[in-house]
């Protein structure tokens, strides 16, 4: 445990150890994922800037509209009127959607089925597959009409009719061919014994071209009792039947809706106009690059991703490996044989990890900040710098570096006591995440509490976010910046003191790694 005992001598030893460790920390293959975490926000903002720049140029090539004309657009205007006033749009997209809907009112309860060419038939059978739109199992037909090519004569009127057992004596199959639907329930046929069918004998084989079916609502009952699925069959001998019509429901019509999206650009703002059946339904006018919005997004990414996840897990991977990696490589005993105190070795390794982490994550924060600012208008950017933008950049970088200071000390100490990082990392992550709902005294032993207090812009939070999420997302009572820095440094010093005690008692045993 020898070595230079003077303060300057120990400082030189610390720096010598740090220089040796720096190369391993910076270029360790197993730590390359740390760079990905640090650079991800910069990549996101760089991609956003490139995408919006290209889109702005593409829209501008197709024509620029007057801002006042864009602001004059009102809901309900016709698409052609808007185009006449504003000129050729930058983008114009069409789409048509169709759907089958129940026809309401009118002849919803009557369906007509045309057969071309005419088919010969003596027996005509109406088979009910699904008798209603509700859970009701009773089939209801008030009139079944059959027509030939010769004219408007109903060939089924008064003809013999048979069918499933009727639901009552006065509602037999003959009521479906009596030519009337106005007599109430007793003027129609109903049945619920399967198979559900109604059959008419025309007396002789005739050509037929059209069938008309009057369902429940045609006789005054509710539309939910109209026949949902059925088919019509014909036969010349009453034995072999051929299906000539299949229906998926009574009272359905095809509803066609035309959608049209027209986009105008005034040099800064993109106006998306949605027209439904030729009328303006909604308008959305936004700047392609919104400085205030990007600043809030950056604040959210920095606090919710960079501090809570990127720096946390980056320091976990870098600092826990400083001693554990030496144990795995069976080289730690060489350091312990060197003429330096173990506390100096600890300080040197911590300094190496801190320098690497500060460069990686501090540089990543600064690069992301630059990628967020650079795509914006020069005048707007200059105004931001004049109103404190440089201070914002400084405090974001400071928060990132101090995050490495705090989390680095914790994971360095944890690595001396525990070899498996999963459990302590999960516990610490839960503790840091619950920071906002802890008592104020306990918040002071949370690194995230001090880091969030340093951030120049509060993280954005939706007004409709649950209260628990709002509490977890921000400290209850942020500290002042001087208090936050002092508190974080004191917490770090205490953790390093604990680590120093652990490294003094540490014994080399590569077999058990303890």
């Amino acid at each position: 445990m020898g070595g230079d005992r003077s303060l300057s001598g120990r400082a030189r030893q610390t720096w010598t150890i740090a220089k040796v460790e720096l190369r391993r920390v910076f270029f360790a293959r197993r730590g390359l994922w740390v760079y990905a975490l640090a650079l991800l926000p910069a990549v996101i903002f760089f991609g956003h800037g490139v995408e919006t720049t290209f889109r702005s140029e593409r829209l501008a090539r197709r024509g620029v509209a007057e801002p006042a004309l864009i602001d004059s657009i009102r809901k309900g205007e016709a698409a052609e009127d808007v185009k006449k006033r504003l000129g050729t749009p930058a983008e114009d997209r069409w789409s048509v959607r169709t759907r089958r809907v129940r026809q309401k009112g009118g002849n919803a309860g009557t369906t007509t089925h045309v057969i071309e060419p005419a088919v010969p038939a003596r027996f005509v059978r109406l088979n009910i597959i699904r008798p209603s739109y509700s859970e009701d199992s009773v089939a209801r037909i008030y009139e079944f009409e059959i027509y030939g090519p010769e004219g408007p004569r109903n060939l089924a009127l008064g003809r013999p009719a048979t069918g499933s057992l009727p639901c009552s004596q006065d509602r037999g199959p003959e009521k479906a061919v009596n030519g009337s639907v106005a007599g109430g329930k007793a003027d129609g046929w109903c049945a619920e014994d399967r198979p559900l069918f109604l059959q008419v004998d025309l007396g002789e084989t005739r050509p037929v071209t059209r069938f008309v079916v009057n369902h429940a609502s045609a006789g005054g009952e509710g539309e939910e009792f109209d026949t949902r699925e059925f088919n019509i069959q014909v036969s010349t001998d009453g034995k072999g039947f051929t299906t000539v019509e299949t229906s998926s429901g009574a009272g359905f019509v095809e509803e066609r809706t035309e959608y049209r999206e027209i986009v105008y650009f005034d040099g800064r703002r993109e106006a998306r106009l949605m027209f439904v059946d030729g009328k303006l339904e909604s308008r959305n006018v936004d700047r392609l690059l919104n400085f205030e919005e990007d600043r809030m997004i950056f604040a959210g990414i920095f606090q919710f991703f960079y501090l809570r996840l990127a720096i946390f897990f980056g320091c976990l991977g870098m600092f826990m490996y400083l001693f554990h990696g030496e144990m795995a490589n069976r080289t730690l005993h060489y350091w312990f044989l060197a003429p330096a105190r173990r506390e100096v070795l600890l300080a040197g390794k911590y300094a190496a990890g801190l320098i690497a982490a500060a460069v990686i994550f501090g540089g990543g924060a600064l690069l992301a900040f630059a990628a967020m600012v650079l795509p914006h208008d020069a005048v707007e950017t200059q105004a931001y710098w004049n109103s404190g933008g440089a201070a914002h950049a400084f405090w974001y970088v400071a928060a990132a570096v101090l995050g490495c200071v705090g989390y680095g000390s914790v994971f360095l100490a944890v690595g001396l006591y525990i070899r498996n990082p999963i459990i302590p990392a999960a516990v610490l992550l839960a503790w840091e995440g619950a920071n906002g709902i802890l008592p104020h005294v306990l918040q002071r032993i949370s690194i995230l509490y001090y880091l969030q207090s340093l951030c120049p812009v509060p993280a954005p939070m939706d007004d409709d976010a649950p209260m628990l999420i709002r509490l977890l997302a921000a400290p209850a009572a942020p500290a002042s910046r001087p208090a936050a820095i002092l508190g974080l440094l004191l917490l770090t010093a205490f953790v390093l003191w604990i680590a120093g005690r652990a490294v003094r008692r540490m014994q080399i045993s590569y077999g058990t790694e303890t």
Side-chain angles (χ1 to χ4, degrees), residues 168 184 238 367 383 479:
S168 64
L367 188 61

Side-chain angles (χ1 to χ4, degrees), residues 137-139 163-167 189-197:
S137 60
V138 177
S164 305
L165 184 67
C167 54
W189 166 77
C190 71
E192 58 181 340
D193 285 345
R194 291 186 177 272
L196 297 171
F197 74 96

Side-chain angles (χ1 to χ4, degrees), residues 423-438:
I423 295 177
V427 172
L428 183 59
L429 186 63
W431 176 267
E432 295 285 87
N435 170 260
I437 60 176
L438 295 175

Side-chain angles (χ1 to χ4, degrees), residues 204-249:
E204 59 180 323
T205 300
R206 298 172 177 271
V208 295
T209 57
R210 182 165 55 99
F211 307 97
V212 177
V213 184
N214 291 272
H215 305 274
S217 61
E221 298 191 57
E223 291 184 349
E224 68 274 15
F225 299 125
D226 283 343
T227 314
R228 186 164 183 170
E229 290 184 23
F230 59 94
N231 63 51
I232 300 174
Q233 297 179 317
V234 297
S235 173
T236 57
D237 58 7
K239 294 182 180 180
F241 283 84
T242 301
T243 301
V244 294
E245 174 69 3
T246 299
S247 175
S248 60

Side-chain angles (χ1 to χ4, degrees), residues 311 315 319 350 354 357 400-410 447 488-489 492 496:
I311 295 178
C315 289
F319 284 86
Y350 176 71
L354 180 58
V401 172
L402 288 171
C404 299
V405 171
Y407 286 126
S409 66
V410 171
I447 294 171
L488 182 61
L489 293 179
T492 300
L496 289 177

Side-chain angles (χ1 to χ4, degrees), residues 11-45:
R12 285 194 298 271
Q13 288 180 330
T14 299
W15 178 237
T16 300
I17 294 171
K19 288 191 294 183
V20 173
E21 290 288 303
L22 271 175
R23 181 181 297 274
R24 188 167 68 91
V25 175
F26 266 117
F27 301 108
R29 289 184 179 180
R30 62 181 296 170
L32 294 179
W33 57 271
V34 174
Y35 290 91
L37 284 177
L39 294 176
L40 181 58
V43 172
I44 292 174
F45 280 101

